[in-house]
Amino acid sequence: MSIYYENVKVWTTHTKTSEYNPKTGKHKHLKKPIVTEKVHVADESAYDLGELYDLIKFAVARDPYHKINVSFKVYEEH
């Protein structure tokens, strides 16, 4: 028996609360924050914990200063 991971998705969420106005030279607070999602790994499969670690490590290397979100489904192979 072995465990494999399916539908692995790794992403970061960025929230922008202000923007710079070059005309006035000041930062302006936004009324509504702009939330964007950057997907690093989408719909991949990993056949052991080492492959899952490599996928997460790849996402951390691409966006090291933000919190990494991970979702996946786990199955046991007979």
Side-chain angles (χ1 to χ4, degrees):
M1 287 189 295
S2 63
I3 296 175
Y4 69 98
Y5 308 90
E6 198 171 80
N7 299 333
V8 177
K9 180 181 177 187
V10 184
W11 73 97
T12 54
T13 305
H14 299 253
T15 305
K16 184 177 179 181
T17 57
S18 65
E19 65 182 1
Y20 181 73
N21 186 342
K23 291 181 182 177
T24 61
K26 296 181 182 179
H27 281 277
K28 175 185 157 189
H29 289 283
L30 300 172
K31 291 180 183 177
K32 291 186 178 181
I34 299 171
V35 179
T36 57
E37 192 175 274
K38 183 176 182 182
V39 178
H40 303 288
V41 177
D43 228 12
E44 293 287 329
S45 295
Y47 293 99
D48 63 1
L49 195 55
E51 286 185 28
L52 181 63
Y53 170 79
D54 287 339
L55 292 173
I56 295 170
K57 186 178 175 182
F58 170 75
V60 170
R62 286 190 67 192
D63 201 355
Y65 302 109
H66 291 90
K67 184 167 64 170
I68 304 293
N69 300 302
V70 180
S71 70
F72 54 86
K73 294 181 182 179
V74 179
Y75 295 99
E76 184 177 40
E77 215 173 66
H78 297 280

